[in-house]
Amino acid sequence: MEDELEPSLRPPTQIQGRILLLTICAAGIGGTFQFGYNLSIINAPTSHIQEFTNETWQARTGEPLSDHLVLLVWSIIVSLYPLGGLFGALLAGPLAIMLGRKKSLLVNNIFVALAAILFGFSRKAGSFEMIMLGRLLVGVSAGVSMNIQPMYLGESAPKELRGAVAMSSAIFTALGIVMGQVVGLRELLGDPQAWPLLLASCLVPGALQLASLPLLPESPRYLLIDCGDTEACLAALQRLRGSGDLARELEELEEERAACQGCRARRPWELFQHRVLRRQVTSLVVLGSAMELCGNDLMYAYASSVFRKAGVPEAKVQYAIIGTGSCELLMAIVSCVAVERMGRRVLLIGGYSLMTCWGSIFTVALCLQSSFPWTLYLAVACIFASILSFGTGPAGVTGILATELFDQMARPAACMVCGALMWIMLFLVSLGFPFVMEALSHFLYVPFLGVCACGAIYTGLFLPETKGKTLQEISEELHRLNFPRRAQGPTWKSPEVIQSTEL
């Protein structure tokens, strides 16, 4: 009966919830879902693409590639994805300012369409270079969406739901990872002949976003502060919040607009030049780098190799890989609910601390594998536990930092800096991990343990809690932290000025 009601007769909160949910889904399906999907689908056709590369080279030159060169070409194919993400992150800031948050996400699908064409015809053309270029383009798309999607959702959500809505980016990332792993099964598109179609399937989420996102509102903050369009901002707020009282939220937006009045959008390098942004930039650099250097995303690109190193039978590897993505998806959903109750700092500290613990046990289990066969199960359990811990906080909370720690004028530049750092780190780790795994053998996870420990320590000592605060309140608190002497010094009041004297 409820569905038979006219839209005008439905409760405002119901309409509000639906519009906000549709906005989250439309932004996510072509945004961080694509990042997770393209991160994981490359794992299933690993051996097929390596064989195709070798066969193509032999057909061109008459000689096969050596195993070392095949591994090098494969690591380049994998690492071109984060390299493209770096270019996309640098492109995201200007796009968000010129086109707006919603239009930028829509235009971003051009890169996905071009990549899908290259993937689909690479085998017929006999060109592994087309796979490389396609990976670069989907990386550009992921770099743009990973920066703009949290910005768009964080600016569109109400204060009390901002953290949970921004955490939805992590849910769509994990959902994309799981879907990529499922579609890559041998029973579906993981067949040796179907890998071009598997790689080209990234076009489907892009098409879904193009069909749904144009029907939803632009970020109210962008419309008011960047465009100065009060009517469009009010219309967007009414669609997102319903017909309730919007006076308080409009007042907050006007305060932020007044604070930004006469200012231009900051450029990325300017963030490092101002002391007023010192703590924000440091937190962004440290925690953004830690998210990739902790080694979690490598579990998806090289999951099969890691499980083989742990001793999982070949026939069971693909199902173990699906379990990794399912773990992160589960914890991303849990964290989305918990972030507004427990706060950002607790989730980050707990996530990195647990990853340090499980990584240490994983290393010990690998070292004892030859002496105690049962340590195989302990090592696999530690992999799943580490991914669960990553999903607890670092996976989602890190993406919120650029939205909450910076004001409207600095937010696009902050997203560029954060995205660029994350993609650079992921590129370096993706390129070097196969060789690190060969060199360190059972100690392959040791370098990442120090990163996890540093992430937990830094969060506990320096990152302020932002739960339940408006963006303007967060800016004021960070200003006090950046200038502690001014904030903590004694309050001085000037004496009353006497305008006349009595003789």
Side-chain angles (χ1 to χ4, degrees):
M1 294 294 293
E2 186 177 320
D3 292 336
E4 297 176 1
L5 292 175
E6 293 294 328
S8 59
L9 300 178
R10 291 176 185 166
T13 54
Q14 181 183 358
I15 299 174
Q16 166 198 350
R18 287 190 178 183
I19 295 295
L20 185 59
L21 179 61
L22 288 173
T23 302
I24 294 169
C25 293
I29 194 64
T32 52
F33 179 91
Q34 285 277 34
F35 165 68
Y37 188 75
N38 288 290
L39 185 69
S40 64
I41 60 170
I42 197 63
N43 183 69
T46 298
S47 58
H48 310 320
I49 295 178
Q50 288 178 351
E51 290 174 7
F52 169 70
T53 301
N54 202 14
E55 291 170 1
T56 302
W57 187 264
Q58 189 169 5
R60 293 177 184 176
T61 64
E63 297 181 0
L65 287 169
S66 64
D67 292 342
H68 185 75
L69 288 177
V70 169
L71 180 62
L72 178 62
V73 172
W74 172 245
S75 63
I76 291 174
I77 290 174
V78 173
S79 58
L80 277 172
Y81 182 61
L83 182 62
L86 171 61
F87 296 147
L90 297 176
L91 185 62
L95 275 179
I97 294 170
M98 291 186 296
L99 300 179
R101 287 34 167 171
K102 187 177 81 170
K103 287 182 181 178
S104 297
L105 290 173
L106 293 171
V107 170
N108 187 41
N109 288 289
I110 294 174
F111 300 111
V112 176
L114 293 175
I117 294 171
L118 290 169
F119 289 144
F121 292 98
S122 58
R123 186 169 200 162
K124 289 186 177 181
S127 172
F128 59 84
E129 292 86 356
M130 291 175 68
I131 302 175
M132 291 181 174
L133 183 56
R135 289 286 290 174
L136 185 70
L137 289 175
V138 291
V140 172
S141 171
V144 171
S145 62
M146 281 193 71
N147 287 309
I148 294 182
Q149 181 188 333
M151 193 191 315
Y152 173 51
L153 296 179
E155 293 177 2
S156 301
K159 177 184 67 174
E160 61 274 9
L161 294 177
R162 190 177 62 241
V165 170
M167 284 286 284
S168 67
S169 300
I171 293 178
F172 278 98
T173 298
L175 182 60
I177 288 170
V178 174
M179 288 300 299
Q181 292 166 341
V182 171
V183 173
L185 287 172
R186 285 189 292 269
E187 294 82 356
L188 296 177
L189 295 181
D191 184 84
Q193 304 301 318
W195 62 261
L197 185 59
L198 172 63
L199 296 181
S201 61
C202 62
L203 185 61
V204 176
L208 290 174
Q209 185 178 71
L210 287 172
S212 57
L213 191 58
L215 306 175
L216 297 164
E218 175 61 274
S219 157
R221 264 187 167 78
Y222 172 79
L223 292 172
L224 181 65
I225 300 175
D226 291 71
C227 301
D229 193 338
T230 306
E231 293 183 3
C233 171
L234 183 59
L237 279 176
Q238 287 173 341
R239 289 196 66 193
L240 289 166
R241 309 285 187 267
S243 56
D245 185 15
L246 302 175
R248 181 67 180 271
E249 189 163 0
L250 276 174
E251 183 181 351
E252 178 205 334
L253 290 177
E254 288 291 353
E255 287 178 3
E256 188 171 354
R257 181 187 185 185
C260 299
Q261 196 74 31
C263 301
R264 59 168 176 80
R266 294 185 186 272
R267 296 178 174 88
W269 57 86
E270 293 177 347
L271 301 182
F272 298 89
Q273 298 173 351
H274 297 282
R275 188 183 173 191
V276 71
L277 299 174
R278 179 182 57 190
R279 185 179 292 257
Q280 296 94 304
V281 173
T282 304
S283 300
L284 204 64
V285 170
V286 173
L287 297 177
S289 301
M291 181 179 176
E292 299 304 334
L293 292 180
C294 71
N296 183 80
D297 286 343
L298 296 171
M299 291 294 186
Y300 304 114
Y302 296 100
S304 57
S305 301
V306 172
F307 280 118
R308 290 189 190 100
K309 177 71 71 175
V312 176
E314 183 66 31
K316 305 294 184 184
V317 166
Q318 63 174 349
Y319 303 108
I321 291 171
I322 294 177
T324 60
S326 301
C327 286
E328 185 168 336
L329 176 59
L330 173 64
M331 291 311 301
I333 295 172
V334 172
S335 299
C336 185
V337 176
V339 68
E340 294 298 347
R341 296 183 179 182
M342 301 178 64
R344 285 60 158 160
R345 294 177 75 252
V346 172
L347 294 181
L348 277 175
I349 295 171
Y352 280 126
S353 299
L354 288 173
M355 287 180 72
T356 305
C357 174
W358 297 123
S360 303
I361 298 174
F362 175 72
T363 302
V364 173
L366 288 184
C367 293
L368 298 177
Q369 185 178 348
S370 58
S371 303
F372 303 97
W374 58 268
T375 56
L376 156 68
Y377 304 103
L378 179 60
V380 173
C382 287
I383 291 175
F384 286 112
S386 179
I387 292 173
L388 284 169
S389 303
F390 180 77
T392 301
V397 176
T398 309
I400 305 177
L401 297 179
T403 301
E404 292 194 333
L405 298 183
F406 294 86
D407 61 22
Q408 190 77 7
M409 295 295 102
R411 196 171 295 130
C415 287
M416 288 176 64
V417 171
C418 181
L421 280 170
M422 290 169 60
W423 286 107
I424 288 172
M425 299 303 174
L426 183 58
F427 171 73
L428 294 176
V429 176
S430 300
L431 188 63
F433 186 70
F435 305 100
V436 170
M437 191 163 58
E438 285 188 1
L440 297 182
S441 185
H442 298 328
F443 298 96
L444 63 95
Y445 204 77
V446 170
F448 307 115
L449 296 179
V451 175
C452 294
C454 290
I457 294 170
Y458 179 86
T459 303
L461 294 178
F462 301 107
L463 187 69
E465 182 56 73
T466 57
K467 180 185 71 172
K469 300 174 182 176
T470 67
L471 297 179
Q472 187 66 22
E473 289 170 348
I474 295 170
S475 297
E476 292 171 358
E477 180 179 352
L478 286 166
H479 188 274
R480 290 194 298 270
L481 292 173
N482 284 322
F483 300 97
R485 292 182 180 177
R486 298 182 188 179
Q488 297 176 7
T491 304
W492 180 80
K493 295 183 179 179
S494 60
E496 182 181 354
V497 178
I498 301 174
Q499 300 291 344
S500 61
T501 56
E502 183 176 356
L503 294 176

